[in-house]
């Protein structure tokens, strides 16, 4: 994790023990009693603190799938507080709750992505279907239209792909492979701002991918400086 500098994790998955021993900091966010939600408010309060004083190079929100219930619990509570006849007992979210959910999620993501550091959000996929074309595809697992809009908040949208390939020299023996997709297909979403630095499928090593991006940026920056210098010399010569 050192490649990413000091790191902070918003632990919504409650599984940070798998990273024990690494140089990271984290807090766990959950709603033990969903009818009395606190997780969303604690996340927003922490983001306020980080906007005032952020000692981290990278902040990770881990992850979207378990963040969604926290945002929805807060949405249901907010709508309920605005109602004259308040709902009592277990509540199934309805349209006003989903409208509040989109508002709260947008508010959280805007604050998260505007931190002065690298921001990373992990998530999962679900199978979806376009109502007009009937095309079946994989979409970000997030209620309503939020899943369609969420990738737009980030420069990079990388998709982990697990497969298998034959082990060289061992007939009939296969091993798992882990690749990161950086380009979309007709079924899955992925995107990179650095298509000249990254291949369509990269080995699942984020430090190596960052090294490729940095090398391309440095090369491109040097080339831009050289071109600007050349133009300046030409201008001076013409004068």
């Amino acid at each position: 994790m050192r490649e990413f500098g000091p790191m902070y994790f918003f632990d919504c998955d409650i599984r940070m023990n798998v990273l024990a021993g690494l140089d990271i900091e984290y807090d766990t966010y959950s709603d033990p009693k969903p009818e009395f939600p606190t997780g969303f408010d604690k996340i927003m309060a922490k983001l306020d603190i980080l906007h005032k004083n952020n000692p981290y190079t990278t902040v990770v929100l881990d992850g979207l799938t378990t963040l969604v219930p926290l945002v929805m619990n807060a949405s249901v509570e907010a709508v309920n507080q605005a109602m004259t006849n308040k709902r009592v007992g277990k509540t199934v979210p309805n349209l006003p709750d989903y409208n509040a959910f989109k508002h709260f999620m947008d508010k959280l993501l805007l604050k998260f992505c505007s931190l002065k550091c690298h921001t990373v959000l992990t998530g999962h996929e679900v199978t979806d279907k376009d109502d007009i074309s009937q095309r079946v595809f994989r979409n970000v697992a997030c209620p309503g239209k939020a899943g369609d809009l969420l990738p737009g908040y980030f420069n990079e949208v990388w998709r982990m792909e697990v497969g298998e390939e034959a082990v060289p020299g061992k007939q009939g023996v296969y091993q798992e492979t882990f690749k990161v997709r950086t380009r979309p297909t007709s079924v899955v979403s992925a995107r990179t701002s650095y298509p000249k630095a990254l291949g369509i499928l990269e080995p699942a090593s984020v430090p190596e991918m960052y090294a490729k991006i940095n090398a391309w940026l440095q090369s491109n920056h040097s080339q831009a400086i050289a071109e600007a210098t050349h133009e300046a010399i030409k201008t001076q010569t013409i004068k």
Side-chain angles (χ1 to χ4, degrees):
M1 295 288 186
R2 291 181 180 177
E3 295 85 354
F4 308 101
M7 298 184 70
Y8 176 81
F9 280 73
F10 286 92
D11 175 28
C12 301
D13 285 350
I14 318 179
R15 287 197 294 265
M16 290 302 294
N17 59 309
V18 299
L19 298 179
L22 296 177
D23 184 21
I24 61 173
E25 295 182 31
Y26 70 92
D27 293 300
T28 298
Y29 301 86
S30 64
D31 280 341
K33 295 183 178 181
E35 64 274 21
F36 302 107
T38 60
F40 174 79
D41 288 339
K42 288 180 178 178
I43 291 173
M44 296 300 286
K46 182 64 176 182
L47 286 171
D48 285 337
I49 293 172
L50 292 177
H51 271 279
K52 294 176 182 177
N53 179 27
N54 183 6
Y56 307 106
T57 302
T58 305
V59 175
V60 182
L61 218 173
D62 185 29
L64 178 63
T65 303
T66 43
L67 170 67
V68 163
L70 304 184
V71 180
M72 183 59 79
N73 291 340
S75 303
V76 171
E77 176 63 15
V79 171
N80 199 39
Q81 289 298 321
M83 297 175 68
T84 303
N85 297 318
K86 302 188 185 304
R87 297 169 291 189
V88 180
K90 295 181 179 179
T91 301
V92 177
N94 53 34
L95 182 58
D97 300 316
Y98 279 99
N99 289 337
F101 171 86
K102 184 180 182 305
H103 170 72
F104 282 12
M105 183 63 80
D106 287 344
K107 186 177 179 181
L108 187 155
L109 289 173
L110 284 170
K111 185 166 287 190
F112 175 66
C113 292
S114 61
L115 289 172
K116 302 300 182 182
C117 65
H118 299 300
T119 53
V120 179
L121 173 66
T122 65
H124 295 90
E125 290 180 325
V126 291
T127 300
D128 209 341
K129 186 177 182 179
D130 185 271
D131 294 332
I132 298 176
S133 66
Q134 303 300 306
R135 180 176 66 89
V136 176
F137 59 97
R138 302 288 290 173
N139 200 6
V140 178
C142 193
K145 295 297 182 181
D148 297 333
L149 302 175
L150 192 145
Y153 284 94
F154 298 91
N155 292 332
E156 301 293 302
V157 180
W158 295 349
R159 182 179 190 268
M160 176 67 74
E161 298 191 355
V162 182
E164 62 177 26
E165 61 183 18
V167 177
K170 295 185 178 181
Q171 186 174 1
V173 179
Y174 295 84
Q175 62 183 3
E176 277 190 321
T177 60
F178 300 90
K179 303 283 187 179
V180 175
R181 176 172 289 280
T182 67
R183 309 289 202 286
T185 69
S186 60
V187 177
V188 303
S189 296
R191 185 182 71 248
T192 180
S193 301
Y194 308 100
K196 293 184 179 180
L198 298 176
I200 296 175
L201 282 174
E202 289 281 345
S205 172
V206 175
E208 290 183 14
M209 294 174 71
Y210 274 23
K212 289 182 179 180
I213 292 173
N214 286 330
W216 180 82
L217 286 173
Q218 291 175 5
S219 174
N220 195 53
H221 181 65
S222 299
Q223 182 179 354
I225 292 176
E227 291 176 353
T229 303
H230 179 67
E231 288 298 320
I233 292 172
K234 276 204 317 182
T235 304
Q236 290 174 3
T237 302
I238 292 172
K239 287 182 179 179

